[in-house]
Amino acid sequence: MSRVLLIGNGAREHAIASALKRSGVEILAHMDRLNPGIAEVADETSIGSTIDYTKLPMDLRGIDYAVIGPELPLEHGISDFLESQGVPCVAPSQAAAKIETSKAFARRMLEKVYPSANPEYAIIRSVHALREFEEKIGFERVVVKPDGLTGGKGVKVFGEHLNTRRELEKYATSLLANHGIVILEEKLEGTEFTVQAFVDGKNFATMPLVRDYKRAHDGDTGPNTGSMGSYSRETHTLDYVDDRDMEIAEDIIATVVKRFKRFSSKIYKGILYGQFMKTSEGIKVIEFNARFGDPEAMNVLSILSSSFDEVCLSIIDGNLTTPEFDSDATVCIYVVPEGYPGKDVVSDWPIEVDPGITSEVYYGSVYEKEGKIFTTGSRALGILGKGATVADARDRAYEDAHKIRGRIRYRKDIAGEV
Ligand code: AMP
Ligand code: GLY
C-alpha cells in the first residue's frame, strides 16, 4: 500500500484525498489549517506551514510519494526539497512551476515553442512601455496582469474591471511600483475551456474538459475570483470545442512538455493545467497552472475510474498509464461567504450542511469548532453533482446547494447555458 503525503487544505485537496483513498492508499495530510473533510479521509493529519517545508513534522522516510495541491508551496520549492529527501513528487520543480508562478516566463516560453498560441503581449518595466503598448493595441483592448501569484484575482480586463484609460494606467503603474514588472496583453474575445493533463516528463494524458466560471456574479460579471463553479460533460468534451480545437490544445500541451527542458533546464512533471480561449483567430493560451484547478479537480477526480495511486506512480516512474474516467457529467457549485470576493466578506459564520445532501461535498476554506463548520473569507464548499447529462448533474448540485444554510451565496447560472 502506498503511503502518500498530501499537501494543502482546500476543496481541491479534499477531492485529491478522496480519489487517493478510493485507490487504497494511506494518506498523511499536511495542512495550514485543518480541513474537516480531508481530516475525515486522511489516516494522519498535521497542521503547520505548507510553505516552510523545513518544518514538516512527519518522518519523510517511508513516504512513497507526495502530491502537492496548491501553487504556493511549489513556488517556495517544496517539491525540490522533498525530492532531495527521497520523496518523489507528483508535481513540478520550483523552476518548472514558473509556468504558473511567472506569467512573464509562461509568455516567453510560449513565444519560443508555440508563438501562435500567445496573444499580443508585452512585458513592461516602465510607463513609457505601457504607453507604447496602449498605442499599438488601443488602450480599450488591454489586459493588465501582475507577474506573480494572486489567487486568480490580479488580472484586470479593460471594459470589465478597468473602465477608463486613467484607471488602466493607475492599476498598471501601481503594479509597476510594487513589482517593477507588468504583463500587458491584448484582450481576447471568445469562450474559455480548461484542459488538465497528467505529465510524466515526456508523456501526457488529458483529463475531461472543464468549463470554469471565474467571475463573481451571474452572467459572467464582476471581479475575477478563484472560480465560482464549473462543469464537465458526460462525453468529456464541451459543445463549443470541436475536434480540431482539441487537437490544437493537445498539440500545444505536447509541444510545451516536449520542449520544456530545452527552455527551462528542467523537465515538466505532475499536473499541467491549460486555460485556453477559443477565439476567431484560433486557440489561444490564457494561462498555465502547475497543478489541478480548483474546482476543476473536483470535476475530473470524482469520475476518475482508474486507480489514482497507479496514475501517480506512473507519473513518478516516467511511464504514464492512460487514466480512464466514468461517462458522467459533473457540475460543481462553489458556495462562498456573502460578500466574497470583496473586503466586506462575511467570515467566521456557521454554515449547516444538510445531512440529506446526495451530491459530493468538498470542504474548502472552512474550519470546525465545537462540531460546527465556520466560513473564513474565502470559498467555503464545492457541491459536486453528477448525472447522466449536464442538466441532471446541475439539477442535483443546485438542489443540494439550496440546502446549505448560513450567510452564503453562490452563482445561479453555472452550466446554465448548456
Ligand atoms: P488568468 O489569471 O491569467 O487566468 O486570468 C484570469 C481571467 O482573466 C481569465 O480566465 C480570463 O477570463 C481573463 N483574461 C486573462 N487574460 C486575458 C486576455 N488576454 N484576454 C481576455 N481575457 C483575459
Ligand atoms: N479554476 C481556476 C484555477 O484553479 O486557477
Side-chain angles (χ1 to χ4, degrees), residues 187-243:
K187 177 178 173 180
L188 300 167
E189 309 277 353
T191 321
E192 293 176 55
F193 59 98
T194 303
V195 185
Q196 300 170 96
F198 297 108
V199 184
D200 71 0
K202 299 185 297 287
N203 310 295
F204 74 98
T206 54
M207 307 178 216
L209 265 61
V210 183
R211 166 78 198 273
D212 176 35
Y213 293 80
K214 283 207 174 74
R215 300 294 198 274
H217 303 296
D218 288 3
D220 272 335
T221 55
N224 277 317
T225 68
S227 173
M228 296 296 292
S230 52
Y231 77 85
S232 66
R233 284 163 52 89
E234 66 284 5
T235 53
H236 303 164
T237 62
L238 292 166
D239 268 355
Y240 54 89
V241 180
D242 61 30
D243 290 351

Side-chain angles (χ1 to χ4, degrees), residues 33 335-338 345-351 365-368 372-381 405-408:
R33 176 184 54 228
V335 172
V336 302
E338 280 175 15
V345 60
V346 171
S347 54
D348 303 302
W349 277 79
I351 43 178
S365 282
V366 292
Y367 61 94
E368 194 170 353
K372 280 197 174 144
I373 303 290
F374 288 83
T375 58
T376 69
S378 199
R379 297 176 294 168
L381 302 174
R405 300 267 165 264
R407 295 191 60 189
I408 48 98

Side-chain angles (χ1 to χ4, degrees), residues 12 212 214 226-227 273 287 289 291-296:
R12 166 183 49 212
D212 176 35
K214 283 207 174 74
S227 173
Y273 167 121
E287 67 164 351
N289 291 327
R291 46 154 179 99
F292 282 109
D294 187 351
E296 291 95 327

Side-chain angles (χ1 to χ4, degrees), residues 100-353:
E100 168 168 9
T101 60
S102 167
K103 287 181 191 290
F105 171 92
R107 285 292 175 221
R108 286 194 192 109
M109 190 233 355
L110 262 189
E111 187 73 46
K112 277 260 161 39
V113 307
Y114 217 110
S116 63
N118 260 344
E120 290 267 6
Y121 76 98
I123 299 164
I124 63 151
R125 294 177 186 278
S126 67
V127 175
H128 175 70
L130 165 65
R131 298 258 157 78
E132 265 184 5
F133 191 76
E134 285 177 337
E135 294 307 319
K136 183 171 162 199
I137 289 289
F139 70 86
E140 55 295 86
R141 290 185 55 227
V142 174
V143 176
V144 183
K145 301 187 173 188
D147 192 32
L149 296 174
T150 56
K153 296 173 197 117
V155 171
K156 295 202 178 183
V157 179
F158 196 93
E160 292 177 42
H161 317 106
L162 304 165
N163 291 308
T164 60
R165 184 171 188 164
R166 205 182 137 87
E167 271 178 37
L168 161 73
E169 296 195 348
K170 196 171 155 208
Y171 184 54
T173 45
S174 74
L175 292 178
L176 274 176
N178 287 332
H179 309 288
I181 180 172
V182 173
I183 292 87
L184 303 176
E185 292 180 7
E186 154 201 20
K187 177 178 173 180
L188 300 167
E189 309 277 353
T191 321
E192 293 176 55
F193 59 98
T194 303
V195 185
Q196 300 170 96
F198 297 108
V199 184
D200 71 0
K202 299 185 297 287
N203 310 295
F204 74 98
T206 54
M207 307 178 216
L209 265 61
V210 183
R211 166 78 198 273
D212 176 35
Y213 293 80
K214 283 207 174 74
R215 300 294 198 274
H217 303 296
D218 288 3
D220 272 335
T221 55
N224 277 317
T225 68
S227 173
M228 296 296 292
S230 52
Y231 77 85
S232 66
R233 284 163 52 89
E234 66 284 5
T235 53
H236 303 164
T237 62
L238 292 166
D239 268 355
Y240 54 89
V241 180
D242 61 30
D243 290 351
R244 179 74 192 127
D245 300 331
M246 192 55 199
E247 251 170 52
I248 295 168
E250 289 199 340
D251 192 44
I252 295 169
I253 292 173
T255 310
V256 166
V257 170
K258 194 163 121 217
R259 299 201 45 201
F260 199 83
K261 184 145 186 246
R262 235 183 300 164
F263 187 77
S264 86
S265 84
K266 293 281 183 183
I267 58 154
Y268 193 93
K269 108 178 129 66
I271 311 300
L272 180 59
Y273 167 121
Q275 184 80 28
F276 296 94
M277 190 184 273
K278 180 175 172 152
T279 74
S280 56
E281 284 164 29
I283 302 295
K284 303 282 179 185
V285 170
I286 295 287
E287 67 164 351
F288 287 114
N289 291 327
R291 46 154 179 99
F292 282 109
D294 187 351
E296 291 95 327
M298 295 180 250
N299 298 92
V300 296
L301 291 176
S302 64
I303 58 166
L304 178 67
S305 52
S306 306
S307 155
F308 191 29
D309 181 36
E310 275 172 26
V311 175
C312 291
L313 290 168
S314 77
I315 290 173
I316 289 160
D317 291 347
N319 191 15
L320 186 67
T321 59
T322 305
E324 295 195 352
F325 296 86
D326 293 329
S327 298
D328 283 328
T330 66
V331 172
C332 183
I333 313 290
Y334 242 127
V335 172
V336 302
E338 280 175 15
Y340 174 83
K343 286 196 191 75
D344 52 354
V345 60
V346 171
S347 54
D348 303 302
W349 277 79
I351 43 178
E352 280 171 41
V353 182

